Amino acid sequence: MAYKVIHYINQFFANIGGEEMAHIAPEIREGAVGPGLGLNQQFKGEAEIIATVVCGDSYFNENIEAATTKIIDLIKDYQADLFIAGPAFNAGRYGTACGTICKAVQDKLNIPTLTGMYIENPGADMFKKEVYIIETSNAATGMRKALPKIGSLAMKIVKGEDILDAKTEGYMLRGIRKNYFADKIGAERAVDMLVKKLTGEEYTTEYPMPEFDRVNPGAAIKDLSKARIALVTSGGIVPKGNPDHIESSSASKYGKYEISKVSDLTSAEYETAHGGYDPVYANEEPDRVLPLDVLRDLEKEGVIGSIHPYFYTTVGNGTAVKSAKAFSEEIAGKLLNDGVDAVILTST
Amino acid sequence: MKLEIGNILITDVQFGNVTKVENHVLYVNKAEIKTLVLEDERIENVTIELARPGESKRITPVKDVIEPRVKVSGNGSMFPGIISKVDTVGCGRTHVLKGSAIVTCGKIVGFQEGIIDMTGPGADYTPFSKLNNVCLVIEPIAGLKQYDYEAAARMAGLKIATYVGNAAKDIEPDEIQVFETKPMFEQSAAYPELPKVGYVYMLQTQGLLHDTYVYGVDAKQIVPTIMYPTEIMDGAIISGNCVSACDKNTTYHHLNNPIIQNLYKRHGKDLNFMGIIITNENVYLADKERSSNFTAKLAEFLGLDGVIVSQEGFGNPDTDLIMNCKKIEQTGIKTVIVTDEYAGRDGLSQSLADADVKADAVVTGGNANEVIILPPMETIIGTDAYINTIAGGFDGSLHEDGSIKVEIQAITGATNELGFNKLSAKSL
């Protein structure tokens, strides 16, 4: 049986009309429509467009949430193997719609997706990290060249075949780091690269430097004696036994634990889950990493207003920046909600 | 300094009545090894097991891997300042039992030891699956502190490697390689037309069981200094550290440092290999500043045109790596850095904890967070009781049938930052 594909296009490619019809709400039609007919030919009978969603570009962009929900609802019972949107070429709103709906279908229905557009389409920068976007020319005259690339990658995705690098397959670089075995060992590659760099020959770095997200320090607290202070750590201090099983490296989660009745973190009750440093001193006296004991003294002395009744903790060891960023955004949101004025953030 | 390395190719390892090499087979006397290891009163017991390429065996928790070598001529003996007197080594001839290794195992920290699979998909990620290994599973006496346990296991490994290495002394090597770096001015004059190249060798010295030793000195306490490359081949630098298995340099890695080997391969052809600058990775900012100032100063002092900088570990040492790179580049010397990546299990995160635009020539040993499934093995040498909490493991890593789902971080040597492996990563 052929793989089932659902296709998304705008009002223009559905032959409904141009800008004057861009307001139409999402609708679904059985089978292929417009460029979908050309796509079907690429599948050579191994896959087939079983339904086409048509939506006006203005409608989608002005009602992103409603449009997305409606489209998900329209297609969810088809049990499709793949969702293809566009190609959108250089049409900005169409490109944004293609990216948005692909990401939503991936996330909500767990169906792989694929789209195509021109590299300068604003949808490209917004979604190329999360969605396969085949690079096309800037106008619909490039349809004939775009369809074979879309068709070929589509077949690889549905068949679960190895997807090669961006250049070979024709999709935009997603920035996903993927391991592979090179022809030469790293040391030989390093010496090759150095010789080229010294002689002015062209070479390719294996890891282009990322751009860093630098954070400016917040404004100083004017009156500490009224401030509510929270303790947050990436040093892995957890209640004994690590009840939430935070990983010793590459943490996938953080923990939130109550300390309203605790004035000292003892080795009987707390320990570290961190696998990147010698845990002996942290386990002997967990306050060394999460300084609750001295903070309680300061609270008693009236130097600080109060200590937030919960501490947040994770393991910083080998943890992806993306995960750390997600944890910190959630934690910061909760602390703000709880009226916390300042945080003592300890690392190891 | 000129050193001849005589490789005696080992294709099998067996227990025997006498420790010796015959027809490329290494025979080891179990009782003698046991007696030697148990001389250390900190060690309660040692189990000695063999693991050969292709066997269905998993070795874990792995602490160190050491290649048996022996000095045949020239000054000093193997592992100076630790096993032998602190003589300067790196000259004369050294024999190597190529294809064999001593593997020390024990739950020293629990988080920071690794896995070596001798077959299956995991074997592709560790160079030690291709060796004939004599494994020492070392159990400490009750109540022994982990610092003492680490020291005892470290010494046991070096001692047995030396004992086994002695069997190579009177054997005719199958191949001989010659490595030579001359005194600075002579070396510089030898190839005046070639770019002068050095190697900045970063040693793991974050402390608290993250230590490396140079002629017996804890490298935390050194300021960066210059060495002849051949000194390293005679065991002047050894591993004493317990850090994520994938990118710690075992003693085997130091002895066989592939950056040194590959710089020598192009020596006199495309470059003039002037020598090594060793440096550390201390955790205090002032130490990082001082050490990186020193590497840049020494590189300039040596009149170098280019250097390769290799890292050990990740996270905190990323800052040392970038400081070294940036400051050396600022002196006008071109750099290539060798590192590995922690890009998350999905590969979508930025890979390093520090970065600089000057680091425009990077070689990567791969993304350590990538997940692999290791099928069950018939034999476990050591214990797999720590798999869920090992760095790279997670809750549920160890399955009931003995298979393991882990990040390659847990595999000894998987993303080595001396460029030991073919593994790399690219952006998709």
Side-chain angles (χ1 to χ4, degrees):
Chain A
M1 209 182 74
Y3 293 102
K4 291 188 276 189
V5 178
I6 293 181
H7 191 205
Y8 173 92
I9 53 175
N10 70 357
Q11 81 287 348
F12 176 76
F13 284 98
N15 238 339
I16 295 174
E19 194 54 36
E20 74 288 355
M21 294 305 286
H23 63 277
I24 63 157
E27 56 183 65
I28 194 155
R29 301 187 192 173
E30 298 300 312
V33 178
L37 300 167
L39 263 181
N40 260 347
Q41 285 176 10
Q42 301 295 329
F43 299 149
K44 299 187 178 75
E46 291 188 283
E48 193 189 353
I49 294 174
I50 50 164
T52 303
V53 176
V54 180
C55 180
D57 286 336
S58 299
Y59 182 87
F60 193 98
N61 283 282
E62 285 158 21
N63 308 278
I64 289 176
E65 221 162 286
T68 307
T69 312
K70 172 79 179 164
I71 293 167
I72 296 279
D73 200 48
L74 285 173
I75 67 175
K76 69 176 192 301
D77 294 330
Y78 280 91
Q79 296 179 326
D81 300 297
L82 180 70
F83 181 89
I84 298 177
F89 304 101
N90 201 22
R93 287 175 310 162
Y94 188 21
T96 311
C98 285
T100 308
I101 194 62
C102 280
K103 181 162 165 25
V105 169
Q106 269 173 202
D107 292 351
K108 302 217 165 90
L109 298 180
N110 213 11
I111 295 170
T113 69
L114 171 60
T115 181
M117 63 190 79
Y118 181 54
I119 188 119
E120 284 175 30
N121 190 311
D125 258 356
M126 287 164 73
F127 293 102
K128 68 181 179 192
K129 249 191 142 165
E130 287 119 341
V131 176
Y132 281 115
I133 304 178
I134 293 284
E135 190 176 336
T136 70
S137 66
N138 62 357
T141 47
M143 184 70 85
R144 221 157 43 92
K145 278 190 176 161
L147 291 184
K149 289 188 204 159
I150 295 176
S152 148
L153 185 56
M155 290 319 297
K156 285 196 167 180
I157 293 173
V158 292
K159 289 180 177 173
E161 287 174 7
D162 268 349
I163 293 167
L164 304 176
D165 60 284
K167 213 171 148 188
T168 312
E169 303 282 6
Y171 60 87
M172 292 178 200
L173 205 59
R174 300 180 68 183
I176 295 177
R177 298 298 288 169
K178 179 80 188 142
N179 287 343
Y180 75 103
F181 289 100
D183 295 335
K184 296 175 177 175
I185 65 165
E188 194 176 352
R189 306 198 305 269
V191 176
D192 284 348
M193 200 182 284
L194 183 64
V195 169
K196 283 184 179 165
K197 195 170 169 178
L198 284 167
T199 54
E201 264 181 81
E202 209 176 298
Y203 64 89
T204 310
T205 181
E206 295 181 3
Y207 181 63
M209 286 289 118
E211 278 178 32
F212 261 69
D213 180 17
R214 305 265 177 206
V215 180
N216 291 324
I221 302 284
K222 291 219 173 73
D223 185 359
L224 263 183
S225 71
K226 294 196 175 62
R228 172 183 279 221
I229 313 283
L231 284 168
V232 179
T233 187
S234 61
I237 299 299
V238 289
K240 195 113 185 176
N242 189 10
D244 294 310
H245 306 288
I246 297 173
E247 294 86 344
S248 65
S249 179
S250 190
S252 68
K253 55 198 148 192
Y254 63 88
K256 174 190 181 185
Y257 305 106
E258 195 181 351
I259 41 168
S260 60
K261 294 184 183 68
V262 184
S263 56
D264 181 17
L265 303 175
T266 64
S267 59
E269 311 259 339
Y270 294 88
E271 64 182 357
T272 182
H274 199 291
Y277 64 88
D278 168 17
V280 169
Y281 299 104
N283 287 341
E284 266 175 16
E285 189 72 73
D287 296 283
R288 283 174 173 147
V289 176
L290 196 77
L292 181 63
D293 53 351
V294 288
L295 212 57
R296 284 279 177 230
D297 291 346
L298 293 175
E299 188 183 32
K300 263 184 226 145
E301 291 160 16
V303 178
I304 60 167
S306 66
I307 301 170
H308 188 54
Y310 298 92
F311 76 92
Y312 290 86
T313 181
T314 188
V315 163
N317 182 34
T319 295
V321 175
K322 187 171 159 245
S323 310
K325 204 171 166 188
F327 301 162
S328 62
E329 276 165 7
E330 272 185 47
I331 294 170
K334 288 178 185 170
L335 293 173
L336 278 173
N337 263 339
D338 290 341
V340 170
D341 300 297
V343 173
I344 294 178
L345 181 61
T346 60
S347 67
T348 46
Chain B
M1 257 186 198
K2 184 174 175 182
L3 181 70
E4 292 178 352
I5 292 282
N7 287 322
I8 294 147
L9 306 179
I10 298 301
T11 54
D12 189 13
V13 60
Q14 302 276 353
F15 288 119
N17 294 327
V18 183
T19 296
K20 62 175 179 185
V21 176
E22 226 173 62
N23 295 326
H24 305 288
V25 179
L26 169 64
Y27 296 89
V28 292
N29 180 313
K30 205 173 183 173
E32 280 181 20
I33 290 177
K34 190 160 185 162
T35 308
L36 275 171
V37 173
L38 294 181
E39 277 175 0
D40 190 331
E41 57 194 20
R42 296 171 293 190
I43 297 173
E44 176 71 39
N45 192 24
V46 59
T47 317
I48 302 144
E49 296 188 59
L50 306 177
R52 304 172 187 89
E55 290 181 331
S56 180
K57 288 180 177 170
R58 169 165 297 144
I59 318 169
T60 189
V62 172
K63 172 188 162 31
D64 198 9
V65 184
I66 309 144
E67 186 170 57
R69 294 185 170 209
V70 64
K71 287 295 292 173
V72 177
S73 65
N75 207 31
S77 301
M78 288 305 296
F79 310 120
I82 296 176
I83 292 291
S84 61
K85 280 190 189 169
V86 66
D87 294 321
T88 299
V89 291
C91 286
R93 190 196 270 201
T94 301
H95 281 182
V96 181
L97 293 178
K98 190 55 61 191
S100 73
I102 310 301
V103 179
T104 51
C105 311
K107 185 237 161 197
I108 293 158
V109 184
F111 300 138
Q112 291 160 350
E113 285 80 39
I115 300 170
I116 297 173
D117 277 2
M118 297 305 289
T119 188
D124 294 340
Y125 287 84
T126 176
F128 308 119
S129 63
K130 287 101 190 159
L131 303 180
N132 294 284
N133 296 310
V134 179
C135 310
L136 313 176
V137 183
I138 297 166
E139 291 164 44
I141 53 168
L144 189 71
K145 285 267 188 233
Q146 56 186 339
Y147 312 104
D148 298 321
Y149 185 9
E150 187 281 325
R154 173 172 17 112
M155 289 306 288
L158 295 170
K159 206 153 81 173
I160 299 310
T162 308
Y163 161 80
V164 174
N166 278 331
K169 195 150 195 164
D170 300 320
I171 309 279
E172 195 55 41
D174 298 293
E175 58 182 28
I176 292 177
Q177 297 167 300
V178 183
F179 302 98
E180 185 176 20
T181 296
K182 297 191 167 93
M184 191 166 71
F185 292 115
E186 259 180 76
Q187 187 57 60
S188 175
Y191 308 111
E193 72 291 357
L194 294 178
K196 291 191 279 298
V197 168
Y199 169 33
V200 174
Y201 195 169
M202 293 173 58
L203 306 175
Q204 175 57 263
T205 59
Q206 287 179 268
L208 295 174
L209 294 169
H210 294 26
D211 300 306
T212 303
Y213 298 86
V214 181
Y215 280 99
V217 179
D218 180 342
K220 273 201 295 296
Q221 294 158 7
I222 64 163
V223 288
T225 188
I226 297 169
M227 288 177 78
Y228 279 105
T230 50
E231 293 177 79
I232 318 298
M233 301 176 186
D234 279 346
I237 296 177
I238 62 114
S239 162
N241 79 57
C242 304
V243 71
S244 284
C246 64
D247 56 13
K248 81 168 178 187
N249 294 331
T250 65
T251 301
Y252 187 98
H253 286 113
H254 289 301
L255 291 169
N256 290 285
N257 186 312
I259 292 175
I260 297 175
Q261 307 268 345
N262 278 279
L263 284 171
Y264 269 129
K265 267 187 202 159
R266 311 282 286 264
H267 188 42
K269 298 188 187 95
D270 305 300
L271 52 87
N272 189 355
F273 186 18
M274 296 294 295
I276 295 180
I277 301 165
I278 57 163
T279 184
N280 49 19
E281 301 176 346
N282 290 12
V283 290
Y284 289 101
L285 183 59
D287 289 340
K288 290 178 187 297
E289 294 283 8
R290 184 187 313 107
S291 289
S292 53
N293 290 343
F294 260 78
T295 59
K297 181 181 65 186
L298 291 173
E300 191 215 11
F301 196 5
L302 286 171
L304 300 179
D305 299 302
V307 298
I308 293 178
V309 187
S310 70
Q311 187 188 1
E312 183 174 4
F314 61 95
N316 188 299
D318 292 348
T319 56
D320 301 274
L321 176 72
I322 294 299
M323 278 186 194
N324 282 321
C325 171
K326 197 162 75 179
K327 291 179 185 179
I328 294 168
E329 284 275 348
Q330 276 164 358
T331 67
I333 298 168
K334 296 196 160 61
T335 63
V336 169
I337 63 174
V338 187
T339 183
D340 66 348
E341 303 182 43
Y342 286 74
R345 289 179 198 157
D346 59 6
L348 275 168
S349 228
Q350 73 187 30
S351 299
L352 295 175
D354 199 5
D356 191 87
V357 287
K358 297 242 188 262
D360 60 2
V362 182
V363 167
T364 173
N367 175 17
N369 294 133
E370 206 164 281
V371 172
I372 188 171
I373 292 175
L374 306 175
M377 295 282 145
E378 280 164 26
T379 307
I380 304 287
I381 297 177
T383 169
D384 59 8
Y386 305 101
I387 295 297
N388 288 346
T389 51
I390 207 166
F394 37 85
D395 200 24
S397 268
L398 179 63
H399 303 155
E400 228 165 75
D401 66 354
S403 63
I404 297 173
K405 186 177 178 185
V406 278
E407 295 182 6
I408 60 169
Q409 190 182 166
I411 299 175
T412 301
T415 60
N416 179 268
E417 293 162 291
L418 301 176
F420 208 90
N421 310 322
K422 289 184 174 173
L423 193 66
S424 180
K426 58 185 167 190
S427 290
L428 292 185

